């Protein structure tokens, strides 16, 4: 199905919701501040880290990652101020961000767009139904990890979130289907794009199921035309991921699997569907009031280098990794961590300290995160 057809269906559905609502018939408009139910919150977050990559990259940029990606220097991965306003019919959020994560992950954006972690407004379409339309720069529904380290079981991110959108630009329609099921529909500029790179729009979905308070299961999809000046050979991209998060007592576990397919046109006119996929498993156990131990196993395979171009002249990218992380909660809003991470590949996609091709790599990284 073509992207423009999906866009037509979404617009018709949205028009139906608006035409059957009492949005414009209320005595108090959305322009009036709800002084009874309104709430204004300002917060902050600082993630400071030191990482030692035993490959010792000469430019100090660690290959393949945007989070905590500098070697052998004390630096800020992500720092931000969040400003949020909520009322009974409206909500707004603005989060400007700074740090090495922003430098690496927003390199394709222009000007001040490089500093937007999130910036969006939301309108409740019905007075008595929790159906929300949100517009702007949004958080991503894809994978079981985000860029906010304090909310993750490990300090470092797996390959999974590093190679899907951390942020999206467009519109999100959120619909609760029942007390346990929530559906979200996205109309997007593209695959992690604030500044659109072509004339097409993309479609995303997320279906969340909470059978009980201890378990969340999420299924998300994406379809969009990724053709651009940089990649004129790209056509439609199809992507889906499934993850779960389980928490009970002192144990928390999560796992994610995803697969993507990229239409690629060759010079002879042939179109190929290039596949990449990922799987991870993460667990954490709280063995003392302030201490927990987390571990992760993962595998990422991109044989046609749709997402990852190896730093050495080899065909495709693949790697497994194993990580162990000690977490120390100094206070309820101060978290210290120390993590060791080992990478293993069947290809020479890594380098040693002399820049010679290697099949493995090692990282030792520590951090302190504060939020308020």
């Amino acid at each position: 199905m073509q992207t423009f057809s999906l866009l037509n269906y979404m617009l018709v559905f949205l028009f139906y919701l608006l035409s059957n609502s009492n949005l414009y018939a209320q005595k108090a408009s959305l322009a009036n501040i709800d002084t009874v139910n309104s709430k204004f919150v300002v917060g902050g977050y600082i993630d400071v880290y030191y990482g030692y990559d035993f490959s010792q990259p000469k430019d100090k940029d660690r290959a393949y990652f945007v989070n905590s990606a500098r070697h052998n220097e004390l630096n800020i991965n992500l720092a931000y101020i969040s400003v949020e306003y909520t009322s009974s019919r409206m909500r707004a959020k603005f989060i400007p961000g700074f740090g090495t994560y922003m430098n690496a992950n927003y390199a394709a954006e222009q000007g001040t767009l490089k500093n937007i972690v999130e910036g969006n407004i939301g309108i409740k379409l019905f007075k008595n139904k929790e159906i929300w339309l949100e517009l702007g720069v949004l958080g991503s529904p894809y994978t079981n990890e985000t860029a906010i380290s304090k909310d993750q079981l490990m300090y470092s991110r797996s390959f999974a979130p590093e190679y899907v959108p951390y942020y999206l630009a467009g519109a999100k329609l959120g619909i609760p289907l029942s007390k346990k099921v929530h559906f979200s529909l996205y109309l997007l500029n593209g695959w992690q794009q604030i500044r659109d790179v072509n004339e097409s729009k993309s479609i995303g979905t997320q279906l969340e199921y909470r059978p009980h308070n201890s378990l969340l299961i999420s299924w998300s999809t994406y379809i969009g035309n990724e053709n651009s000046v940089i990649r004129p050979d790209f056509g439609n991209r199809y992507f889906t991921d499934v993850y779960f998060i389980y928490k009970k007592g002192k144990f928390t576990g999560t796992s994610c699997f995803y697969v993507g397919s990229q239409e690629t046109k060759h010079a002879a006119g042939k179109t190929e569907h290039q596949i990449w996929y990922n799987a991870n498993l993460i667990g954490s156990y709280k063995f003392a009031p302030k201490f927990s131990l987390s571990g992760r196993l993962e595998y990422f395979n991109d044989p046609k280098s749709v997402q990852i171009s190896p730093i050495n002249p080899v065909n495709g990218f693949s790697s497994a990794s194993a990580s162990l992380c000690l977490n120390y909660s100094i206070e309820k809003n101060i978290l210290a961590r120390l993590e060791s991470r080992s990478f293993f590949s069947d290809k020479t996609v890594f380098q040693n300290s002399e820049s010679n091709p290697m099949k493995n790599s090692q990282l030792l990284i520590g951090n302190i995160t504060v939020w308020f």
Side-chain angles (χ1 to χ4, degrees), residues 68-128:
S68 312
R70 294 289 288 171
H71 157 69
N72 194 25
E73 65 183 34
L74 189 66
N75 215 319
I76 294 175
N77 180 51
L78 177 60
Y80 64 69
I81 294 293
S82 65
V83 181
E84 299 184 41
Y85 173 80
T86 59
S87 70
S88 59
R89 299 295 300 278
M90 188 267 282
R91 59 194 182 198
K93 179 187 296 184
F94 180 56
I95 306 176
F98 311 90
T100 60
Y101 160 78
M102 302 298 295
N103 294 343
N105 199 40
Y106 287 71
E109 305 296 347
Q110 291 185 332
T112 57
L113 298 179
K114 291 179 178 290
N115 294 103
I116 302 177
V117 178
E118 284 192 50
N120 53 73
I121 59 174
I123 300 171
K124 187 178 178 182
L125 299 183
F126 300 89
K127 182 178 180 180
N128 299 317

Side-chain angles (χ1 to χ4, degrees), residues 128-197:
N128 299 317
K129 295 182 181 179
E130 290 297 318
I131 298 177
W132 287 83
L133 175 65
E134 296 175 88
L135 306 165
V137 180
L138 309 161
S140 170
Y142 304 116
T143 82
N144 55 345
E145 298 172 84
T146 75
I148 312 302
S149 66
K150 74 178 181 65
D151 298 327
Q152 314 309 306
L153 299 183
M154 311 288 296
Y155 174 63
S156 71
R157 292 312 94 75
S158 68
F159 284 108
E162 296 281 273
Y163 290 95
V164 301
Y166 272 119
Y167 61 89
L168 300 167
K172 173 186 176 182
L173 185 65
I175 306 171
L177 301 181
S178 71
K179 291 183 178 181
K180 296 183 178 182
V181 181
H182 189 274
F183 176 73
S184 297
L185 180 64
Y186 294 82
L187 174 64
L188 305 167
N189 287 342
W191 182 269
Q192 190 164 278
Q193 298 170 16
I194 301 177
R195 182 178 67 95
D196 203 346
V197 300

Side-chain angles (χ1 to χ4, degrees), residues 214-247:
S214 299
L215 179 63
L216 168 66
I217 302 172
S218 173
W219 172 45
S220 300
T221 67
Y222 175 92
I223 176 173
N225 186 351
E226 298 305 306
N227 183 269
S228 67
V229 173
I230 298 175
R231 292 304 304 253
D233 56 326
F234 275 6
N236 281 342
R237 176 171 296 176
Y238 307 91
F239 175 86
T240 185
D241 87 294
V242 177
Y243 69 81
F244 78 84
I245 300 173
Y246 176 79
K247 183 175 182 178

Side-chain angles (χ1 to χ4, degrees), residues 48 77 172 205 248 254 293-294 303 310 317 338-339 347:
V48 178
N77 180 51
K172 173 186 176 182
T205 66
K248 186 156 187 182
T254 180
L293 191 65
S294 305
F317 180 92
L338 180 64
E339 179 176 340
K347 305 173 186 285

